[in-house]
Amino acid sequence: EFIRKLQTEREKLQVLSKEYQKFITTRQQFDAQLNENELVLSEFGRLKDNAEVFKLVGPLLVKQEVPEAGSTVKKRINFIKGELERCEKNIAGSEERQGRC
């Protein structure tokens, strides 16, 4: 009886540990995306007035207006920050559940 209960608790902890690792990996991916997009946004600040910007659409490069491209990147940054907040909540919840085991 005791051994069975101990094994069950161990299995629960393993599941929680895998979930935690998944949340950490997701957060790392969003961190990398955020850094990349912030770098792109800073590069927009260095563009000359007559600069041309292109975006990749499938196999094609399509010309895009600089303000529109900057706006798109800013929106993407805001979205990623929201996802990072969600990841942090998931991580905190996972840590709390692991602490209860």
Side-chain angles (χ1 to χ4, degrees):
E1 175 68 28
F2 175 73
I3 292 175
R4 191 176 321 129
K5 189 173 183 179
L6 192 59
Q7 287 175 335
T8 303
E9 290 299 314
R10 190 183 108 229
E11 289 169 3
K12 285 181 187 177
L13 188 57
Q14 285 176 334
V15 168
L16 289 173
S17 180
K18 284 181 183 179
E19 176 186 75
Y20 179 78
Q21 281 303 113
K22 186 180 87 172
F23 291 144
I24 293 293
T25 300
T26 301
R27 182 182 67 184
Q28 289 171 339
Q29 290 170 342
F30 281 123
D31 275 334
Q33 289 177 5
L34 180 63
N35 289 334
E36 182 180 310
N37 280 278
E38 287 176 339
L39 178 64
V40 168
L41 193 60
S42 71
E43 289 296 317
F44 278 136
R46 299 173 62 193
L47 292 177
K48 295 181 180 171
D49 292 337
N50 61 347
E52 293 181 340
V53 176
F54 296 86
K55 73 176 185 179
L56 190 62
V57 179
L60 304 175
L61 284 175
V62 178
K63 189 173 180 179
Q64 190 174 24
E65 297 296 322
V66 174
E68 181 185 347
S71 175
T72 300
V73 172
K74 287 176 186 175
K75 288 177 187 175
R76 195 175 306 130
I77 287 172
N78 287 333
F79 172 78
I80 293 169
K81 285 181 178 179
E83 290 299 304
L84 279 169
E85 286 178 22
R86 189 176 60 81
C87 284
E88 291 298 330
K89 289 177 185 175
N90 287 339
I91 289 169
S94 181
E95 288 173 343
E96 183 180 320
R97 287 188 297 279
Q98 285 185 41
R100 283 189 251 145
C101 281

